Amino acid sequence: MRFWLIVFFLIPSISVAESRPKIGLVLSGGGAKGAAHIGVLKVLEKHNIPVDYIAGTSIGSYVGGLYALGYNADEVEAIMLKTNFDKGYSDYIPRAQLQYEDKQLRDKYNIPVRIGYSDGRFKMPSGLLLGQYALQVLKNSIGEIGELDSFDQLPIPYRAVATDISTSKATILSTGSLSQAIKASSTVPGALEPIEIDGHLLVDGGITNNMPIDVVKSMGADIIIAVDIGSSLIDQENIQSTVDVLDQLSNILTINTTNKQKELLTKKDILIRPKIDDIDTMDFSKLEDALVLGEDAANDNLGELQKLSVSDTEYQAYLAKKQNIREQWTEQLGKPVTAIQYNNQSLINENYIAQHFNIKEGNVVNKEQLEEAIQAVYALDRFEFVNAEFIDTPEGRTVVLTTKEKSWGPDYLLFGFSWQGNFTSHSIVSFDFSYLLTDITPTGGTLKNELSLGWETFVGTEFYQPFDENYNSFARLALSYEENKYAEYKGSVRYARPELTDSSFLSKTGIGYHYTDYGISEIGLLAQYGELQFHDSSLGLEVDYYSYGGYITLGYDNLNSINFPTQGNKIELTITARKDFYTKEIFGSDTDNNLSIEFDWRGAFGLGNHTFVGIASAAALLNQSDFSVRLTELGGFLNLSGFQKDALIGVNKAFAAAVYQYDLGREVPGGTGLPLYAGTSLEAGNVWGINENVSPKELITSGSFYLGTDTDFGPAVIGLGYATSFNFDTEDQITLFFSLGKNW
């Protein structure tokens, strides 16, 4: 009896629902202004106005997609306000997540450009940004919903509009991955890489249809509510730069498409235009302001909107239907993964990818775990694009991981730069170039060709070959020519001519093992032939030498920044045994058996804006003669800051420093959000010759105060360094120094 009573009372509301006109919601693109759409949704919900269809472009596709999933306006607001949209405008893989070898490569080649050369031409990506993190931002908002046969399966039938960049035609996305559809609709051409869906290269739909009224009409809507948040044209007096002209061209395109769509509106349709012209499309700090303006605009049209209101009973039935469909897809999220498929569009070994994809069969995966797993694969720095999608089946969830190779590879041009000085003597400048050839063997072999020019010169080539499918064990063969100059200094002032020049050819061959992603062990052999030129008039001679020996290297590196670290450690220990032969006797000997030990460590931990960094380095030479070509250097920023870079030369070295650093980048009035650091250091160290006793009493104490920031050319630092004297041959040093680019 109870069942029939429920049916009896529901039949009238169902009949009314079927007879009422279907309402379609159209949400236009407009970047950060998109929160205005949420304000409109709040007013619709407050007045029992149902939405039967949604279509959106760009940010409109984002808000519309969330609402179509069954979230209410308050839930969409909470998701959007806590989303870090700025993260989507960076492709920077955090240093801490890179593999050991990739960390060293990035540190040396610190200029972030993507240029490749292969097939007889230079190559670059088709966008300034690859869009990897833009997709991650969307997936975090939407969750781990599976691919859909049709977006009509959502609580509210939905469409996203993108542009096929190869045909300039609008593309209506109605199936597949919701996050991919929204990303395609939101991909700013030129700024982000186009996204490929079903063989089409897609970018922002605003170019062809910024307010898709026609799309919602074709879905079956009888009445349209269209929300226009597109930018207005820039006044003539405000067009003063190339950027302004480009912005105006973009505005013209979107305004033209919007005006064309407005012609489709009839008297029964409602157009809402929030007063959001003063909000910049990229200013996501103004989301709450845009939301209020959207709510105000909807209330300004409340008289027309209320004509679309339904009774409380009918609206509750509408909400119940949406909730029922929402529960159907949310129920899938709690099911375990039953299969993992790899769509590997690269030459990288699939087992290597699987080793880093931290999702296993039997796991129930939430969106945080999915993001972490995708990021672990992307951090291998071998792919242009990494994505994972779910396919739901009666048996469970299948995860499909897609990895796409870099389109500008497999050969890459890398660039590095550094410039260090103290405003009183010759600056030390270095330009670094590398031509890196990857995947030259079926098992991931690489060939790295390098050139460094400046005060010192380096030319080298290295072949690196992994042995196993997980790329853990490897062999390397390296050949190089290097010219090291050891200058004569008076205090922190360097004379123009070097005191000693060491020019040498070196060959190394070794085998090694990555015991973690961040650690390496290597053992190998080396041979060297070189020439020493003594420029000091008291010696005035040239000596050839050759040597052979072996080395062992142990390294670990999970430091999150080589420049301004806040967490992690970078440790390296190298032990080398050599036998050196000289063509002339130097200080009574023409041979030398020696054992050198080199140790470097840098570690950091941060507490809020406060960071504490420890630095230590040491070099020791155990040899049989009174002379050695095996020299070590000390001096420079955070390396006895009172001295010019490499001002102190010896065969033995000891150095330690304690650094305090404060991140004040977002506290500077009018700041741009760039990290700006204020730091101070206490340092102690010295170098010693072969016949000198290493004594703590001879340590030079030093310190610094500095300001620094990260730039596209690496860190930029300016500061004041101080170093005390320890004997009558040196003086206290006070140095105003600067550094741009890598400073190690």
Side-chain angles (χ1 to χ4, degrees), residues 243-319:
V243 174
D244 294 335
V245 172
L246 293 175
D247 283 345
Q248 187 77 319
L249 288 174
S250 175
N251 293 339
I252 291 171
L253 286 172
T254 56
I255 289 172
N256 285 343
T257 66
T258 299
N259 289 339
K260 185 177 180 180
Q261 289 295 310
K262 286 179 181 178
E263 295 174 0
L264 301 176
L265 295 174
T266 65
K267 292 182 179 180
K268 62 182 178 179
D269 300 323
I270 301 170
L271 175 64
I272 299 174
R273 170 70 183 178
K275 298 176 181 178
I276 37 70
D277 285 342
D278 291 336
I279 297 177
D280 189 87
T281 57
M282 299 299 294
D283 191 357
F284 286 93
S285 67
K286 298 291 183 64
L287 290 178
E288 294 186 50
D289 295 341
L291 190 152
V292 172
L293 293 172
E295 198 167 355
D296 291 343
N299 284 323
D300 290 341
N301 290 271
L302 194 55
E304 293 298 314
L305 289 173
Q306 283 182 320
K307 296 177 183 179
L308 305 178
S309 298
V310 298
S311 67
D312 288 343
T313 301
E314 185 177 356
Y315 195 68
Q316 290 304 314
Y318 162 79
L319 294 179

Coordinates of all heavy atoms in Angstrom, one line a residue, residues 243-319:
V243 N 52.2 43.0 -26.2 CA 51.3 42.2 -25.4 C 49.8 42.7 -25.5 O 48.9 41.9 -25.6 CB 51.8 42.1 -23.9 CG1 50.8 41.4 -23.1 CG2 53.1 41.5 -23.9
D244 N 49.7 44.0 -25.4 CA 48.4 44.6 -25.5 C 47.7 44.3 -26.9 O 46.5 44.0 -26.9 CB 48.4 46.1 -25.4 CG 48.9 46.5 -24.0 OD1 48.6 45.8 -23.0 OD2 49.4 47.6 -23.8
V245 N 48.5 44.4 -27.9 CA 48.0 44.0 -29.3 C 47.5 42.6 -29.3 O 46.4 42.3 -29.8 CB 49.0 44.3 -30.3 CG1 48.5 43.8 -31.7 CG2 49.3 45.8 -30.4
L246 N 48.3 41.7 -28.8 CA 48.0 40.3 -28.8 C 46.7 40.0 -27.9 O 45.9 39.2 -28.3 CB 49.2 39.4 -28.2 CG 50.4 39.4 -29.1 CD1 51.5 38.6 -28.4 CD2 50.1 38.7 -30.5
D247 N 46.6 40.7 -26.8 CA 45.4 40.6 -26.0 C 44.2 41.0 -26.8 O 43.1 40.4 -26.7 CB 45.6 41.4 -24.7 CG 46.4 40.7 -23.7 OD1 46.7 39.5 -23.8 OD2 46.9 41.4 -22.7
Q248 N 44.4 42.1 -27.5 CA 43.2 42.7 -28.2 C 42.8 41.7 -29.3 O 41.6 41.5 -29.6 CB 43.6 44.0 -28.8 CG 42.5 44.8 -29.5 CD 41.5 45.4 -28.5 OE1 41.2 44.8 -27.5 NE2 41.1 46.6 -28.8
L249 N 43.8 41.1 -30.0 CA 43.4 40.1 -31.1 C 42.6 39.0 -30.5 O 41.7 38.5 -31.1 CB 44.7 39.6 -31.7 CG 45.4 40.6 -32.6 CD1 46.8 40.0 -33.1 CD2 44.6 41.0 -33.8
S250 N 43.1 38.5 -29.3 CA 42.3 37.4 -28.6 C 40.9 37.9 -28.3 O 40.0 37.1 -28.4 CB 43.1 37.0 -27.4 OG 42.4 36.0 -26.6
N251 N 40.8 39.1 -27.8 CA 39.5 39.6 -27.4 C 38.6 39.7 -28.6 O 37.4 39.4 -28.6 CB 39.6 41.0 -26.8 CG 40.3 41.0 -25.4 OD1 40.3 39.9 -24.8 ND2 40.8 42.1 -25.0
I252 N 39.1 40.1 -29.8 CA 38.4 40.3 -31.0 C 37.8 38.9 -31.4 O 36.6 38.8 -31.8 CB 39.2 40.9 -32.1 CG1 39.5 42.4 -31.8 CG2 38.5 40.7 -33.5 CD1 40.5 43.0 -32.8
L253 N 38.6 37.9 -31.3 CA 38.2 36.5 -31.7 C 37.1 36.0 -30.9 O 36.0 35.6 -31.4 CB 39.4 35.6 -31.6 CG 40.4 35.6 -32.7 CD1 41.6 34.7 -32.4 CD2 39.9 35.2 -34.1
T254 N 37.2 36.2 -29.5 CA 36.2 35.6 -28.6 C 34.9 36.5 -28.7 O 33.8 35.9 -28.6 CB 36.7 35.6 -27.2 OG1 37.2 36.9 -26.8 CG2 37.9 34.6 -27.1
I255 N 35.1 37.8 -28.8 CA 33.9 38.7 -28.9 C 33.1 38.3 -30.2 O 31.9 38.3 -30.2 CB 34.3 40.1 -28.9 CG1 34.8 40.5 -27.5 CG2 33.1 41.0 -29.3 CD1 35.4 41.9 -27.3
N256 N 33.8 38.1 -31.3 CA 33.1 37.8 -32.6 C 32.3 36.5 -32.5 O 31.2 36.4 -32.9 CB 34.1 37.8 -33.7 CG 34.6 39.1 -34.1 OD1 34.0 40.1 -33.8 ND2 35.7 39.2 -34.9
T257 N 32.9 35.5 -31.9 CA 32.2 34.2 -31.7 C 31.1 34.4 -30.8 O 30.0 33.8 -31.0 CB 33.2 33.1 -31.2 OG1 33.6 33.4 -29.9 CG2 34.4 33.0 -32.1
T258 N 31.2 35.2 -29.7 CA 30.1 35.4 -28.7 C 29.0 36.1 -29.4 O 27.8 35.7 -29.2 CB 30.7 36.1 -27.5 OG1 31.7 35.4 -26.9 CG2 29.5 36.4 -26.5
N259 N 29.3 37.2 -30.1 CA 28.2 37.9 -30.8 C 27.4 37.1 -31.8 O 26.2 37.2 -31.9 CB 28.8 39.2 -31.5 CG 29.3 40.2 -30.5 OD1 28.9 40.2 -29.3 ND2 30.2 41.1 -30.9
K260 N 28.1 36.2 -32.4 CA 27.5 35.3 -33.4 C 26.5 34.4 -32.7 O 25.4 34.1 -33.2 CB 28.5 34.5 -34.2 CG 27.9 33.6 -35.3 CD 29.0 32.9 -36.1 CE 28.4 32.0 -37.1 NZ 29.4 31.3 -37.9
Q261 N 26.9 33.9 -31.5 CA 26.0 33.0 -30.7 C 24.8 33.8 -30.1 O 23.7 33.3 -30.0 CB 26.8 32.4 -29.6 CG 27.8 31.3 -30.1 CD 27.1 30.1 -30.7 OE1 26.2 29.5 -30.2 NE2 27.5 29.8 -32.0
K262 N 25.1 35.0 -29.7 CA 24.0 35.8 -29.1 C 22.8 36.0 -30.1 O 21.6 36.2 -29.7 CB 24.5 37.2 -28.7 CG 25.3 37.2 -27.5 CD 25.8 38.6 -27.1 CE 26.7 38.6 -25.9 NZ 27.2 39.9 -25.6
E263 N 23.1 35.9 -31.4 CA 22.1 36.1 -32.4 C 21.1 34.9 -32.4 O 20.0 35.0 -32.9 CB 22.7 36.2 -33.8 CG 23.5 37.4 -34.0 CD 24.3 37.4 -35.4 OE1 24.1 36.4 -36.1 OE2 25.0 38.4 -35.7
L264 N 21.5 33.8 -31.7 CA 20.6 32.7 -31.6 C 19.6 32.8 -30.5 O 18.7 32.0 -30.4 CB 21.4 31.4 -31.5 CG 22.4 31.1 -32.6 CD1 23.3 29.9 -32.2 CD2 21.7 30.9 -33.9
L265 N 19.8 33.8 -29.6 CA 18.9 33.9 -28.5 C 17.6 34.5 -28.9 O 17.5 35.3 -29.8 CB 19.5 34.9 -27.4 CG 20.8 34.4 -26.7 CD1 21.4 35.5 -25.9 CD2 20.5 33.1 -25.9
T266 N 16.5 34.0 -28.2 CA 15.1 34.4 -28.5 C 14.7 35.2 -27.3 O 15.4 35.3 -26.3 CB 14.2 33.3 -28.8 OG1 14.1 32.4 -27.6 CG2 14.7 32.4 -29.9
K267 N 13.4 35.7 -27.4 CA 12.9 36.5 -26.3 C 12.7 35.7 -25.0 O 12.8 36.3 -23.9 CB 11.5 37.1 -26.7 CG 11.6 38.2 -27.8 CD 10.3 38.8 -28.2 CE 10.4 39.8 -29.2 NZ 9.1 40.4 -29.6
K268 N 12.5 34.4 -25.1 CA 12.3 33.6 -23.9 C 13.7 33.3 -23.2 O 13.7 32.8 -22.1 CB 11.5 32.4 -24.2 CG 12.2 31.5 -25.2 CD 11.4 30.2 -25.5 CE 12.0 29.3 -26.6 NZ 11.2 28.2 -26.9
D269 N 14.8 33.5 -23.9 CA 16.1 33.2 -23.4 C 16.6 34.3 -22.5 O 16.1 35.5 -22.6 CB 17.1 32.9 -24.5 CG 16.7 31.7 -25.4 OD1 16.1 30.7 -24.8 OD2 16.9 31.8 -26.6
I270 N 17.6 34.0 -21.7 CA 18.1 35.0 -20.7 C 19.6 35.1 -20.9 O 20.3 34.1 -20.8 CB 17.7 34.6 -19.3 CG1 16.2 34.5 -19.1 CG2 18.3 35.6 -18.3 CD1 15.8 33.9 -17.8
L271 N 20.1 36.3 -21.1 CA 21.5 36.6 -21.2 C 22.0 37.3 -19.9 O 21.4 38.4 -19.6 CB 21.8 37.4 -22.4 CG 23.3 37.9 -22.6 CD1 24.2 36.7 -22.7 CD2 23.4 38.8 -23.7
I272 N 23.0 36.8 -19.2 CA 23.5 37.4 -18.0 C 24.9 37.9 -18.3 O 25.8 37.1 -18.7 CB 23.5 36.4 -16.8 CG1 22.0 36.0 -16.5 CG2 24.1 37.0 -15.6 CD1 21.9 34.9 -15.5
R273 N 25.2 39.1 -18.0 CA 26.6 39.7 -18.3 C 27.1 40.3 -17.0 O 26.8 41.5 -16.7 CB 26.5 40.7 -19.4 CG 27.8 41.5 -19.6 CD 28.9 40.7 -20.1 NE 30.2 41.6 -20.2 CZ 31.3 41.1 -20.6 NH1 31.5 39.9 -21.0 NH2 32.4 41.9 -20.6
P274 N 27.8 39.6 -16.1 CA 28.4 40.1 -14.9 C 29.4 41.3 -15.2 O 30.0 41.3 -16.3 CB 29.1 38.9 -14.3 CG 28.5 37.7 -14.9 CD 28.1 38.1 -16.3
K275 N 29.5 42.2 -14.3 CA 30.4 43.4 -14.4 C 31.8 43.0 -14.0 O 32.2 43.4 -12.9 CB 29.8 44.5 -13.6 CG 28.4 45.0 -14.1 CD 27.8 46.1 -13.3 CE 26.4 46.5 -13.7 NZ 25.9 47.5 -12.9
I276 N 32.4 42.2 -14.8 CA 33.7 41.6 -14.4 C 34.9 42.2 -15.3 O 36.0 41.6 -15.3 CB 33.7 40.1 -14.5 CG1 32.9 39.6 -15.6 CG2 33.2 39.5 -13.2 CD1 33.5 39.8 -17.0
D277 N 34.7 43.3 -15.9 CA 35.7 43.8 -16.8 C 37.0 44.2 -16.1 O 38.1 44.2 -16.7 CB 35.2 44.9 -17.7 CG 34.2 44.5 -18.8 OD1 34.3 43.3 -19.1 OD2 33.5 45.3 -19.3
D278 N 36.9 44.6 -14.8 CA 38.0 45.0 -14.1 C 38.9 43.9 -13.5 O 39.9 44.1 -12.9 CB 37.6 45.9 -12.9 CG 37.1 47.3 -13.4 OD1 37.4 47.7 -14.6 OD2 36.3 47.9 -12.7
I279 N 38.4 42.6 -13.7 CA 39.2 41.5 -13.3 C 40.0 40.9 -14.4 O 39.4 40.6 -15.5 CB 38.2 40.4 -12.6 CG1 37.5 41.0 -11.4 CG2 39.0 39.1 -12.3 CD1 36.5 40.0 -10.8
D280 N 41.2 40.7 -14.2 CA 42.1 40.2 -15.3 C 41.9 38.7 -15.4 O 41.6 38.0 -14.4 CB 43.6 40.4 -14.9 CG 44.5 40.0 -16.1 OD1 44.7 40.9 -17.0 OD2 45.0 38.9 -16.1
T281 N 41.9 38.2 -16.6 CA 41.6 36.7 -16.9 C 42.6 35.8 -16.1 O 42.3 34.6 -15.9 CB 41.7 36.4 -18.4 OG1 42.9 36.8 -18.9 CG2 40.6 37.2 -19.1
M282 N 43.8 36.3 -15.8 CA 44.9 35.5 -15.1 C 44.9 35.7 -13.6 O 45.8 35.1 -13.0 CB 46.2 35.8 -15.8 CG 46.3 35.5 -17.3 SD 46.0 33.7 -17.6 CE 47.4 33.0 -16.8
D283 N 44.1 36.6 -13.1 CA 44.2 37.0 -11.7 C 43.3 36.1 -10.9 O 42.2 36.4 -10.5 CB 43.9 38.4 -11.5 CG 44.2 38.9 -10.1 OD1 44.7 38.1 -9.3 OD2 44.0 40.1 -9.8
F284 N 43.8 34.9 -10.5 CA 43.0 33.9 -9.8 C 42.9 34.3 -8.3 O 42.2 33.6 -7.6 CB 43.6 32.5 -10.0 CG 43.3 31.9 -11.3 CD1 44.2 32.1 -12.4 CD2 42.1 31.3 -11.6 CE1 43.9 31.5 -13.6 CE2 41.8 30.8 -12.8 CZ 42.7 30.9 -13.9
S285 N 43.5 35.3 -7.9 CA 43.3 35.8 -6.5 C 42.0 36.5 -6.4 O 41.6 36.8 -5.2 CB 44.5 36.8 -6.1 OG 44.4 38.0 -6.9
K286 N 41.3 36.8 -7.5 CA 40.1 37.6 -7.4 C 38.9 36.7 -7.7 O 37.8 37.1 -8.0 CB 40.1 38.7 -8.5 CG 41.2 39.7 -8.4 CD 40.9 40.6 -7.2 CE 42.0 41.7 -7.0 NZ 42.0 42.6 -8.1
L287 N 39.0 35.4 -7.4 CA 37.9 34.4 -7.6 C 36.7 34.8 -6.8 O 35.5 34.8 -7.3 CB 38.3 33.0 -7.3 CG 39.3 32.4 -8.3 CD1 39.7 31.0 -7.8 CD2 38.8 32.3 -9.7
E288 N 36.9 35.1 -5.5 CA 35.8 35.5 -4.7 C 35.1 36.7 -5.1 O 33.8 36.8 -5.1 CB 36.2 35.6 -3.2 CG 36.7 34.2 -2.7 CD 37.1 34.3 -1.2 OE1 36.2 34.8 -0.4 OE2 38.2 33.9 -0.8
D289 N 35.8 37.7 -5.6 CA 35.2 38.9 -6.1 C 34.4 38.6 -7.4 O 33.2 39.2 -7.5 CB 36.3 39.9 -6.5 CG 37.1 40.4 -5.3 OD1 36.6 40.3 -4.2 OD2 38.2 40.9 -5.5
A290 N 34.9 37.8 -8.2 CA 34.1 37.4 -9.5 C 32.9 36.7 -9.1 O 31.8 36.9 -9.7 CB 35.0 36.6 -10.4
L291 N 32.9 35.8 -8.1 CA 31.8 35.1 -7.6 C 30.6 36.0 -7.2 O 29.5 35.9 -7.6 CB 32.1 34.1 -6.5 CG 31.1 33.1 -6.1 CD1 31.8 31.8 -5.5 CD2 30.1 33.6 -5.1
V292 N 31.0 37.0 -6.4 CA 30.0 38.0 -5.9 C 29.4 38.7 -7.1 O 28.1 39.0 -7.2 CB 30.6 38.9 -4.9 CG1 29.7 40.1 -4.6 CG2 31.0 38.2 -3.7
L293 N 30.2 39.1 -8.1 CA 29.7 39.9 -9.2 C 28.8 39.0 -10.1 O 27.8 39.5 -10.6 CB 30.9 40.4 -10.1 CG 31.8 41.4 -9.4 CD1 33.0 41.7 -10.3 CD2 30.9 42.7 -9.2
G294 N 29.0 37.7 -10.1 CA 28.1 36.8 -10.9 C 26.8 36.7 -10.2 O 25.7 36.7 -10.8
E295 N 26.9 36.6 -8.8 CA 25.6 36.6 -8.1 C 24.8 37.8 -8.2 O 23.6 37.8 -8.4 CB 26.0 36.3 -6.6 CG 24.8 35.8 -5.7 CD 25.3 35.3 -4.4 OE1 26.5 35.3 -4.1 OE2 24.4 34.9 -3.6
D296 N 25.5 39.0 -8.2 CA 24.8 40.3 -8.4 C 24.1 40.3 -9.8 O 23.0 40.8 -9.9 CB 25.8 41.4 -8.3 CG 26.3 41.6 -6.8 OD1 25.7 41.0 -5.9 OD2 27.4 42.3 -6.7
A297 N 24.8 39.9 -10.8 CA 24.3 39.9 -12.1 C 23.0 39.0 -12.3 O 22.1 39.4 -12.9 CB 25.3 39.5 -13.2
A298 N 23.1 37.9 -11.6 CA 21.9 37.0 -11.7 C 20.7 37.6 -11.0 O 19.6 37.5 -11.4 CB 22.3 35.6 -11.1
N299 N 21.0 38.2 -9.8 CA 19.9 38.9 -9.1 C 19.3 40.0 -9.9 O 18.1 40.4 -9.8 CB 20.4 39.4 -7.8 CG 20.5 38.2 -6.8 OD1 19.7 37.3 -6.8 ND2 21.6 38.3 -5.9
D300 N 20.2 40.7 -10.7 CA 19.7 41.8 -11.6 C 18.7 41.2 -12.6 O 17.8 42.0 -13.1 CB 20.8 42.5 -12.3 CG 21.7 43.3 -11.3 OD1 21.2 43.6 -10.2 OD2 22.8 43.6 -11.7
N301 N 18.8 40.0 -12.9 CA 17.9 39.3 -13.9 C 16.9 38.4 -13.2 O 16.3 37.5 -13.9 CB 18.7 38.5 -14.9 CG 19.5 39.3 -15.9 OD1 19.1 39.7 -16.9 ND2 20.8 39.6 -15.5
L302 N 16.7 38.6 -11.9 CA 15.9 37.7 -11.1 C 14.4 37.6 -11.6 O 13.8 36.6 -11.6 CB 15.9 38.1 -9.7 CG 15.4 37.0 -8.7 CD1 16.1 35.7 -8.8 CD2 15.5 37.6 -7.2
G303 N 13.9 38.8 -12.1 CA 12.5 38.8 -12.6 C 12.3 37.8 -13.7 O 11.3 37.0 -13.7
E304 N 13.2 37.7 -14.7 CA 13.1 36.8 -15.8 C 13.5 35.3 -15.3 O 12.8 34.4 -15.7 CB 14.1 37.2 -16.9 CG 13.7 38.4 -17.6 CD 12.3 38.4 -18.3 OE1 12.1 37.3 -18.9 OE2 11.5 39.3 -18.1
L305 N 14.4 35.2 -14.4 CA 14.8 33.9 -14.0 C 13.7 33.2 -13.2 O 13.5 32.0 -13.3 CB 16.1 34.0 -13.1 CG 17.4 34.3 -13.9 CD1 18.5 34.6 -12.9 CD2 17.8 33.2 -14.8
Q306 N 13.0 33.9 -12.3 CA 12.0 33.3 -11.5 C 10.8 32.7 -12.3 O 10.1 31.9 -11.8 CB 11.5 34.4 -10.5 CG 12.4 34.6 -9.3 CD 11.9 35.6 -8.3 OE1 11.2 36.6 -8.7 NE2 12.1 35.3 -7.1
K307 N 10.7 33.1 -13.6 CA 9.7 32.5 -14.4 C 10.0 31.1 -14.7 O 9.1 30.3 -15.1 CB 9.6 33.3 -15.7 CG 9.1 34.7 -15.6 CD 9.1 35.4 -16.9 CE 8.7 36.9 -16.8 NZ 8.7 37.6 -18.1
L308 N 11.3 30.7 -14.4 CA 11.7 29.3 -14.7 C 11.7 28.5 -13.4 O 12.1 27.3 -13.4 CB 13.1 29.3 -15.3 CG 13.3 30.1 -16.6 CD1 14.7 30.1 -17.1 CD2 12.4 29.6 -17.7
S309 N 11.3 29.1 -12.3 CA 11.3 28.3 -11.0 C 10.2 27.3 -11.0 O 9.2 27.4 -11.7 CB 11.0 29.3 -9.9 OG 12.1 30.3 -9.8
V310 N 10.5 26.2 -10.3 CA 9.6 25.1 -10.1 C 9.2 25.0 -8.6 O 9.9 25.6 -7.8 CB 10.1 23.8 -10.7 CG1 10.4 23.9 -12.2 CG2 11.4 23.4 -9.9
S311 N 8.2 24.2 -8.3 CA 7.8 24.0 -6.9 C 8.9 23.3 -6.1 O 9.8 22.6 -6.7 CB 6.5 23.2 -6.9 OG 6.7 21.9 -7.3
D312 N 8.8 23.4 -4.8 CA 9.7 22.7 -3.9 C 9.7 21.2 -4.2 O 10.7 20.5 -4.2 CB 9.4 23.0 -2.5 CG 9.7 24.4 -2.1 OD1 10.5 25.1 -2.8 OD2 9.3 24.9 -1.0
T313 N 8.5 20.7 -4.4 CA 8.4 19.2 -4.6 C 9.1 18.8 -5.9 O 9.8 17.8 -5.9 CB 6.9 18.8 -4.7 OG1 6.2 19.2 -3.4 CG2 6.7 17.3 -4.9
E314 N 8.8 19.6 -6.9 CA 9.4 19.2 -8.2 C 10.9 19.4 -8.2 O 11.7 18.6 -8.7 CB 8.8 20.1 -9.3 CG 9.3 19.7 -10.7 CD 8.6 20.5 -11.8 OE1 7.8 21.3 -11.5 OE2 9.0 20.3 -13.0
Y315 N 11.4 20.5 -7.4 CA 12.8 20.7 -7.4 C 13.5 19.6 -6.6 O 14.6 19.2 -6.9 CB 13.1 22.1 -6.8 CG 14.6 22.5 -7.0 CD1 15.0 22.9 -8.3 CD2 15.5 22.6 -6.0 CE1 16.3 23.3 -8.5 CE2 16.8 23.0 -6.2 CZ 17.2 23.4 -7.5 OH 18.5 23.8 -7.7
Q316 N 12.9 19.1 -5.5 CA 13.5 18.1 -4.7 C 13.6 16.8 -5.5 O 14.5 16.0 -5.4 CB 12.7 17.8 -3.4 CG 12.8 19.0 -2.4 CD 14.3 19.2 -2.1 OE1 15.0 18.3 -1.8 NE2 14.6 20.5 -2.1
A317 N 12.5 16.5 -6.4 CA 12.6 15.4 -7.3 C 13.7 15.5 -8.3 O 14.4 14.5 -8.6 CB 11.2 15.2 -8.0
Y318 N 13.9 16.7 -8.8 CA 15.0 17.0 -9.7 C 16.4 16.7 -9.0 O 17.3 16.0 -9.6 CB 14.9 18.4 -10.2 CG 16.2 19.0 -10.8 CD1 16.6 18.7 -12.1 CD2 17.0 19.9 -10.0 CE1 17.7 19.2 -12.6 CE2 18.1 20.4 -10.6 CZ 18.5 20.1 -11.9 OH 19.6 20.6 -12.4
L319 N 16.5 17.2 -7.8 CA 17.8 17.0 -7.1 C 18.0 15.5 -6.7 O 19.1 15.0 -6.8 CB 17.8 17.8 -5.8 CG 17.8 19.3 -5.9 CD1 17.8 20.0 -4.5 CD2 19.0 19.8 -6.7

